[in-house]
Each structure stands twice: as C-alpha cells, then as structure tokens.
C-alpha cells in the first residue's frame, strides 16, 4: 500500500496520448497492464468488459426549480457570479452540441451503403421498402433511429425536464451524508435560514448566521426548493443509469428508454459542502448524496468520484474520508472473534480524485489544513483512496496535450487501481463526475487569476477517457453533475465539449471506433461568438433566416430546454418521484402571454425559525433505515417562471411580449371599453401678412 504523500502529481509514468488524443483504451491502461500485452492499445483479455451491442444513451436532466435560488441581500448583483443565468448558458452549450451531433450522425448515416434487397414474402419486401424510404417507424427493440415522437434528430440523447424533488428531512441519502444520530440540526437550520432570509436581511442585514462566511453564500425563500430539486434530479439520474444496466428490458429508443450516461444541469453546486459546513456557494453536497442514493437504493458498493472543477472539492473529500473510515472500521470489527453473529452489511468504498488549482479557493489564503488536504494522495492505507493533482500552466494547446494532460490522467490510473484492488469490474460500481467548467480557458480572469486553466477540448477528451473506464468496470454508468463555472462563455463551451464526450453514436458501438466524428473547431472562439449572437433576441424573421444551419437548429433546440416553442414534447418526469426511475412525455404547453408589467418582489415571510444550535456529535449519523425506495415529492414545473428567471440574460421573456388578442371586425369596439368623444378644436387660419 502507498503511504500518504503531499504532491501535485504522481510519479507514476503516464502513457502518451495518440496523435489525435483519443486513444481511450490506451490512455487508461496502468503500466503493469500494458506490459502484459504486445499491443499497448488493446485491453487485456483478463478484464471482462461488457460488450453491449447497442450504443449507450445519454440523458440530460434539467430542473427549473434550481432557478429559484437567488441573491436578495441587495439590488446590486454585479459581483454575484453564482447566478440563475448560469443554467441558460449551460442550455445554450447543450443545444449547440446536440445540433452538431445531429449533423455528424446524419453525415455518418449518409455514408452507409444501401443494403441489397433480399428475397422474401411480399410483406417483408414492403417493410424493407418502407424502411429504405424512412416511412416505417423506427421505435422498437433494437432500433437505432430516434423515436418518431422525439423532437431530437438523434437517438443517442434524450432531454428530461424533471420535476423531481426530495425532502431534506425525510430522504435517507441526504440524512446519510448530512444527518445526525440525535437530530438533523444542520438540515433543520438550513431550512430555517432560507425560510426567514428576507426577515433576517431586513432586521440584521444578512440572512447568513454568524460564524458562517457570508461572502460566498446566500439564501432566499426559494433556495430550499432549488436545493431539493437539484438533489431530486441527481437521484433520478442515478436511477436511470442503474435501470439501463440491469435487467433484460428491450431498448426502443422511445421516451421511456433508460440511459447509461447522464449530465445533470443543476445549481447551487455542492462539492465544497461538508457534512454540516456550507461553503463556496454550496449548501448540500449533490454528488455525495447521489453516491449515497446509489448505495442505499441500488446496492452500489464501489464508487468513483472524479472532480474536475477549478477548485478543490474539500467538502466531498471530507465526506468520502469519513465514509471510508467507517467502512474500514466495520471491516476490522467484523473479523474479531467475539463477533459470532452474521457480519453487518458493509458500507461503500469510495475513490475521490480531484484536479484543481492549489492557489485558488479554498487554499488561496494558504491555510495549512486546506493546502495539505488538497495535496494528499493515499491509496489503500486505512481504507482511504484519495488522489489530488494540481493544475499547471501551459503555453499552447500542443504543450497542454503533450505535457500536463498525460499527468492529469493519473486520476484515471488511480481510479482503475482502486477498482482492481477491490474486485475488478462488477455490477456494484458507478462513476460520478463533479463537473465544473471554471478551469476552462474562457472563465472570468478574476476567477482564474492564477492562470491554471485547461483548453475547452479537455472537457471532451477527459470525458471520453472516463466513459471508457466506465465501460470496462461499471457497465458504462457515468453520472456527471454540474459544479462550478461562472462566465457564460466558459459554461457554454464547456457544456458543449462535455456532452460530445458523453455521447456515443451507434457507429461507435458497432465498430468500437473512436469519436473522430467530433470536430474541435465546434467550440473555437469564432464559433462561440456566432453562437452568442444567435442566442440573443431577434426582432426580424429575416435575421434568423440568414443564420447558418447549425445556429438556427441550436436556437430551435434551445426552446426545448426552456420549455417553449413547438418542441415542448421533450421528456418530462412523472409525478412518482426521483427514486422511481420512470418518466412520461409532457404534452405541448398551452399558455397565453402575459401583459407587459414590471416584476413585483415578494414580501418577506414572517415566520419564526427554530433555534440555531451547534452540532454536538457525528458518530453514528449513518444509522439510517434503508428499507424500500425513498418517497420523493414532485412539484410542477412552471415554464413561465423559468423564462422570467432567464430574462436577465438578455433572452426575450414573456414579460417583454404583448398580450395576444383575437382579431375584431372593422369598427368593432373592444369589450370593456366605451367610445370616447374627442374635444372639438377649431383652427383659425389667417392669410400671412404681405410686406409692402
């Protein structure tokens, strides 16, 4: 076993990527495994990789409740970077990625040779002819095309506007991470802080209690809805991934088809939040709760968390350390001679790997405990599996891919070693990505002031490497959860590249081919500028008609994410709850447009808060009953409120449109009005004076 070391990178040599940088199987091979094969690009046969005949599907989870978390302490929000509009930038990047993926898949399908007609019955010949004419429906077991009812032109992706929500005080996974054996003090206090935020701001000037830094934390009455909705979306994504990889259910490419891979676009982020310590915009650790949900509800025993946010996930690492410690103690105690009874069910074992800037928050002040935690690497000793790697400067993209990037792949090497040492590939494994885009090259200079960045292509390539690891060890299960990222361009470009890394086209599954269909120029700065201009509200139809085809398609797809337009039949979750793993299609919305009015702020809610008491202990906090699925409340998604929340981003909200009224006959007086008499005005016009 390795000892604890404080280092920015591992001494373990990393294989160089291929010229294209997408030799995924080669990149994640540990040196020992590579030496056992004559071909270093091949996967050793000793690793039983699930070889599924179908392409793995990717689902995007959108939760509009997350828009309710807002800064209300003052009207000046110029310095607030964790804002609702972040989700609009994410949606724009996802829509652009889908547009590009649709074009790529269409081009690949156009190159396929037309199959030769085969002799058979008249019915078979007719079906084959209809299929060649694209008239026959594609839905059905083994189908490779999109569902006829899907607004997307690809079967590889589904968009789910979920209304999943959980109760902080009643959900076992939340209590497993943030609860206490005596009383859920932190959770109760968090609810009270948000509920009484307006009142406390009026009386005390801040809604954040004393002892908690208020500079990077804020709450409002809607924050709990946002937090509970965020957790509900993560748990639903876990359920969908588990459903896709268990059971012989046929794949129909329809609205209810499960997905192996998921991207969950939620806020506020979570990786800085410890068991009872909110920090860095984070109040609940979304990924840790998702991991606990996978363990409690699906029997997952081994979990990999890869954190690629600019900042160290100190909260996640602290939670992982404590869970691993408890599991390790259970293992030691179960081997004692006095324990004659059946051994208790073991807890999960978790690998946490982080790639971050050691000079940024939470280490920017140089506090020894923070810097040491963000530099720790330990593998196996005391049951801990932690790997931290520090971001480096790079001079050019060539320098990045040849220099720092191979060292960053140590995260995947260590994750693979963890899985090999704990049983190898299995059905009890799932991989999470704490996906922050604030290390991207387009982040605000103030956020990346230490110049430790990554090019946009990193979010594509590292994601592909992670998916390859998941294919070998976890039946393809990958759940990616949004963390940081604050400038619109960093979020848009990062989300675009990340989704292209998650998606697997049918041709890849059939030929085990790399993703050479992806073009890195898609997120080049020139195309990002075009994308931002196209997303702005336009007053004329001719301006939109002059767009490039991929831009026009992106704008059309963006209406799906926002719940409007003709494509509102995108997949929406049912009212059963995040633990159920089932969803239904939402019918097209029918709404009348509102009048042009200025928004009115809600009045403060005068409700008393329970006393804020200090946490008394942590031992035994995970003694939670896990029988049965967790009941989850659902709230209806209000697409009008979602559009109103995005109005600050510049997108045209419904409050900026005139109310539509039916046409009237000529001379007809509008209902509710009376004909008014105009005053009679007489003008006296005299001839101009004539000069003599």
């Amino acid at each position: 076993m390795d000892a604890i070391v404080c280092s920015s990178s591992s001494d373990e040599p990393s294989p160089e990527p291929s010229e294209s940088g997408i030799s995924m199987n080669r990149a994640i091979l540990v040196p020992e495994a590579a030496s056992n094969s004559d071909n270093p690009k091949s996967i050793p046969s000793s690793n039983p990789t699930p070889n599924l005949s179908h392409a793995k599907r990717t689902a995007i989870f959108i939760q509009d409740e997350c828009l309710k978390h807002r800064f209300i302490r003052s009207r000046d929000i110029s310095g607030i970077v964790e804002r609702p509009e972040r989700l609009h930038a994410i949606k724009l990047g996802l829509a652009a990625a889908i547009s590009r993926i649709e074009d790529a898949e269409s081009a690949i399908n156009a190159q396929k040779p037309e199959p030769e007609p085969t002799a058979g019955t008249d019915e078979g010949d007719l079906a084959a002819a209809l299929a060649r004419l694209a008239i026959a429906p594609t839905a059905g077991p083994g189908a490779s095309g999109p569902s006829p009812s899907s607004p997307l032109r690809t079967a590889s992706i589904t968009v789910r506007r979920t209304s999943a929500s959980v109760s902080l005080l009643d959900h076992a996974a939340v209590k497993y991470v943030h609860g206490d054996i005596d009383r859920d003090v932190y959770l109760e206090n968090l609810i009270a802080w948000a509920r009484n935020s307006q009142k406390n701001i009026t009386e005390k000037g801040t809604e954040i209690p004393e002892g908690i830094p208020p500079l990077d934390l804020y709450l409002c009455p809607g924050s709990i809805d946002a937090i509970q909705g965020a957790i509900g979306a993560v748990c639903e994504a876990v359920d969908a991934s588990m459903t896709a990889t268990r059971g012989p259910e046929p794949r129909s490419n329809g609205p209810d088809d499960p997905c192996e891979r998921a991207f969950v676009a939620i806020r506020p982020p979570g990786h800085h939040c410890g068991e009872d310590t909110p920090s860095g915009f984070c109040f609940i650790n979304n990924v840790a709760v998702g991991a606990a949900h996978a363990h409690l509800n699906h029997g997952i025993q081994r979990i990999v968390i890869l954190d690629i946010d600019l900042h160290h996930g100190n909260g996640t690492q602290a939670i992982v350390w404590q869970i691993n410690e408890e599991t390790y103690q259970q293992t030691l105690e179960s081997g004692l001679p006095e324990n004659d009874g059946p051994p208790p069910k073991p807890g999960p074992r978790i690998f946490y790997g982080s790639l971050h800037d050691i000079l940024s928050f939470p280490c920017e002040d140089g506090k020894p405990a923070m810097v040491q935690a963000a530099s720790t690497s330990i593998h196996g000793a005391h049951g801990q599996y932690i790997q931290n790697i520090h971001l480096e400067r790079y001079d050019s993209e060539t320098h990045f891919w040849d220099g720092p990037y191979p060292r960053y792949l140590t995260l995947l090497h260590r994750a693979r070693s963890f899985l090999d040492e704990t049983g190898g590939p299995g059905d009890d494994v799932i991989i999470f990505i704490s996906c922050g885009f604030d290390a991207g090259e387009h982040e605000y200079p103030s956020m990346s002031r230490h110049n430790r960045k990554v090019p946009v292509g990193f979010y594509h390539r590292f994601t592909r490497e992670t998916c390859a690891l998941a294919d070998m060890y976890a039946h393809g299960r990958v759940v990616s959860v949004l963390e940081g990222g604050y400038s619109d361009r960093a979020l848009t470009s990062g989300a675009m590249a990340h989704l292209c890394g998650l998606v697997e086209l049918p041709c890849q599954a059939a030929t085990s081919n790399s993703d050479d269909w992806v073009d890195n120029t898609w997120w080049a700065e020139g195309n990002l500028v075009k994308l931002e201009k196209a997303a702005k509200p336009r007053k004329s139809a001719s301006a939109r008609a002059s767009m490039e085809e991929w831009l026009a398609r992106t704008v059309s797809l963006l209406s799906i994410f926002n719940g409007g337009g003709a494509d509102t039949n995108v997949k929406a979750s049912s009212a059963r709850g995040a633990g159920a793993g089932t969803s239904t299609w939402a019918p097209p919305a029918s709404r009348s447009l509102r009048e042009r009015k200025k928004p009115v702020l809600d009045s403060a809610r005068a409700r008393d808060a329970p006393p804020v008491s200090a946490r008394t202990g942590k031992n035994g906090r995970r003694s939670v009953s896990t029988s049965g699925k967790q009941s989850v409340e659902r709230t209806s998604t209000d697409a009008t409120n979602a559009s109103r929340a995005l109005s600050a981003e510049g997108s045209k909200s419904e409050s900026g449109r005139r109310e539509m009224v039916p046409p009237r006959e000529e001379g007809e007086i509008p209902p509710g009005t009376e004909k008014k008499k105009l005053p009679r005005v007489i003008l006296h016009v005299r001839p101009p004076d004539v000069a003599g």
Side-chain angles (χ1 to χ4, degrees):
M1 299 295 181
D2 295 339
I4 298 179
V5 296
C6 293
S7 173
S8 61
S9 63
S10 172
D11 295 332
E12 178 184 331
S14 302
E16 296 181 1
S18 65
E19 184 176 350
S20 64
I22 315 175
S23 178
M24 296 172 292
N25 296 336
R26 177 184 178 187
I28 62 174
L29 286 176
V30 293
E32 293 79 6
S35 63
N36 294 330
S37 174
D38 295 332
N39 181 5
K41 294 184 180 181
S42 65
I43 302 174
S45 58
S46 59
N47 293 328
T49 305
N51 186 15
L52 304 179
S53 59
H54 59 262
K56 297 173 184 63
R57 296 190 71 193
T58 300
I60 300 168
F61 290 82
I62 304 293
Q63 171 55 284
D64 288 336
E65 290 291 288
C66 295
L67 298 170
K68 294 183 178 180
H69 179 58
R70 293 180 166 276
F71 181 82
I72 62 171
R73 200 176 302 159
S74 72
R75 295 184 178 181
D76 181 12
I77 60 173
S78 58
I80 304 303
V81 295
E82 206 296 290
R83 62 203 196 287
E85 291 75 21
R86 295 177 61 228
L87 295 184
H88 179 76
I90 288 287
K91 293 174 183 178
L92 178 60
L94 296 174
I98 293 175
S99 174
R100 296 292 200 179
I101 292 168
E102 289 176 340
D103 289 344
E105 188 168 352
S106 177
I108 293 173
N109 292 334
Q111 296 175 0
K112 293 181 180 179
E114 185 174 342
E116 294 292 333
T118 57
T121 63
D122 294 340
E123 182 180 355
D125 293 342
L126 177 60
L130 292 176
R132 289 195 297 272
L133 293 174
I135 297 176
T138 57
S144 60
S147 168
S149 58
S150 172
L152 306 184
R153 300 169 186 168
T154 174
S156 303
I157 306 171
T158 180
V159 179
R160 309 188 184 188
R161 297 186 64 244
T162 179
S163 57
S165 181
V166 306
S167 170
L168 292 182
L169 297 178
D170 297 325
H171 195 265
V174 176
K175 295 164 73 72
Y176 186 91
V177 175
H178 295 286
D180 197 300
I181 189 172
D182 296 326
R183 178 172 159 227
D184 300 322
V185 177
Y186 171 66
L187 298 174
E188 293 172 357
N189 287 341
L190 176 60
I191 295 172
W193 298 339
R195 185 181 63 219
N196 296 288
S197 55
Q198 189 69 65
K199 175 183 176 182
N200 289 331
I201 289 172
T202 303
E203 296 178 354
K204 305 175 184 178
T206 180
E207 75 283 16
I208 302 300
E210 187 177 356
I212 298 177
L215 297 179
D216 55 3
L217 293 170
Y218 66 83
L219 288 167
C220 72
S223 295
I224 297 302
D225 291 337
I227 292 170
Q228 294 183 151
I231 300 170
V234 173
C235 292
E236 185 173 294
V238 170
D239 294 340
S241 181
M242 296 303 304
T243 301
T245 54
R246 287 180 175 173
E249 298 180 3
R251 298 171 60 88
S252 63
N253 290 336
D256 292 317
D257 208 18
C259 60
E260 292 87 353
R261 303 169 183 174
F263 176 66
V264 191
I266 56 171
R267 58 177 290 275
H271 72 148
H272 291 306
C273 183
E275 182 184 344
D276 57 356
T277 52
S279 176
F281 311 134
C282 307
F283 293 93
I284 293 291
N285 198 301
N286 303 311
V287 168
V289 172
H293 179 77
H295 170 65
L296 297 175
N297 285 59
H298 300 285
I300 292 294
Q301 292 297 111
R302 294 177 294 160
I303 300 161
V304 171
I305 301 176
L306 302 171
D307 193 333
I308 55 175
D309 191 274
L310 174 68
H311 309 98
H312 179 238
N314 55 312
T316 305
Q317 180 171 310
I319 291 171
V320 167
W321 190 286
Q322 188 162 355
I323 293 175
N324 283 341
E325 181 181 2
E326 294 180 2
T327 300
Y328 184 66
Q329 291 297 325
Q330 288 178 350
T331 303
L332 295 179
E333 293 172 0
S334 63
L336 296 178
E338 58 267 23
N339 294 333
D340 298 331
K345 180 181 178 180
R349 288 174 289 184
I350 307 177
F351 169 86
Y352 175 75
S354 175
L355 174 66
H356 54 268
D357 178 16
I358 192 62
L359 301 178
S360 293
F361 180 90
C363 305
E364 193 162 24
D365 295 336
K367 295 180 180 178
M370 291 294 184
V371 174
Q372 290 169 10
S375 305
T376 295
S377 293
I378 178 172
H379 301 279
H382 306 285
Q384 301 296 340
Y385 299 90
I386 307 290
Q387 178 70 46
N388 284 289
I389 299 178
H390 301 164
L391 284 166
E392 306 172 23
R393 293 173 180 257
Y394 66 93
D395 300 326
S396 64
E397 284 212 29
T398 301
H399 173 216
F400 176 84
W401 299 116
D402 292 342
Y405 183 69
R407 292 190 285 274
Y408 298 163
L409 291 179
T410 301
L411 286 185
L412 299 179
H413 298 319
R414 290 301 194 182
R416 176 168 178 167
S417 297
F418 158 73
L419 294 172
D420 283 335
E421 293 172 9
T422 56
D427 191 46
D428 63 337
V429 180
I430 191 170
I431 296 179
F432 287 88
I433 302 177
S434 275
C435 192
F437 299 120
D438 41 1
E441 59 185 298
H442 299 300
E443 186 52 271
Y444 291 131
S446 58
M447 186 65 65
S448 56
R449 53 190 171 274
H450 304 294
N451 204 28
R452 266 68 175 179
K453 305 177 183 180
V454 297
V456 177
F458 166 84
Y459 296 108
H460 163 249
R461 197 175 301 180
F462 187 86
T463 305
R464 294 302 306 156
E465 314 277 8
T466 302
C467 289
L469 179 68
D471 290 347
M472 287 197 293
Y473 285 88
H475 298 293
R477 301 172 190 138
V478 176
V479 177
S480 177
V481 181
L482 179 64
E483 295 286 358
Y486 304 100
S487 84
D488 288 348
R489 185 171 294 182
L491 290 162
T492 298
S493 60
M496 188 179 182
H498 183 56
L499 182 59
C500 289
L502 285 173
V503 167
E504 179 178 88
L505 298 186
C507 62
Q508 293 175 258
T511 62
S512 299
N513 198 6
S514 67
D515 55 346
D516 51 6
W517 54 271
V518 176
D519 188 346
N520 288 327
T521 63
W522 290 349
W523 42 79
E525 188 168 4
N527 282 329
L528 294 176
V529 172
K530 292 179 182 179
L531 183 61
E532 292 161 359
K533 290 181 179 179
K536 293 180 179 179
R538 293 177 175 270
K539 297 181 179 180
S540 64
S542 60
R544 181 170 178 176
S546 63
M547 291 183 191
E548 297 178 40
E549 186 176 350
W550 73 275
L551 291 172
R553 177 59 177 162
T554 298
V555 174
S556 175
L557 289 167
L558 191 58
S559 67
I560 298 177
F561 289 100
N562 291 332
D567 292 328
T568 51
N569 60 335
V570 54
K571 189 171 184 182
S573 299
S574 68
R576 288 184 58 190
T582 58
S583 301
T584 60
W585 287 86
S590 58
R591 305 188 304 276
S592 60
L593 300 180
R594 298 183 289 105
E595 295 180 354
R596 184 191 299 268
K597 292 181 180 180
K598 294 183 178 180
V600 180
L601 296 177
D602 295 335
S603 59
R605 301 180 182 181
R607 297 177 66 180
D608 296 331
V612 178
S613 58
R615 194 171 186 82
T616 57
K618 300 181 180 180
N619 294 332
R621 62 187 176 85
R622 293 191 174 84
S623 301
V624 181
S625 174
T626 62
S627 59
K629 300 278 186 178
Q630 301 307 316
S631 62
V632 182
E633 301 174 357
R634 293 277 185 163
T635 58
S636 60
T637 303
D638 191 338
T640 303
N641 288 340
S643 298
R644 185 192 312 168
L646 298 176
S647 61
E649 182 66 13
S651 61
K652 189 171 184 179
S653 66
E654 292 184 357
S655 61
R657 304 172 187 167
R658 295 184 179 181
E659 184 176 3
M660 299 178 64
V661 295
R664 298 189 297 270
E665 298 293 336
E666 184 177 358
E668 180 182 356
I669 301 175
T673 62
E674 297 180 358
K675 184 179 292 184
K676 296 182 180 180
K677 294 183 179 181
L678 298 176
R680 187 176 181 183
V681 178
I682 301 177
L683 299 177
H684 297 277
V685 180
R686 288 182 283 183
D689 295 335
V690 180

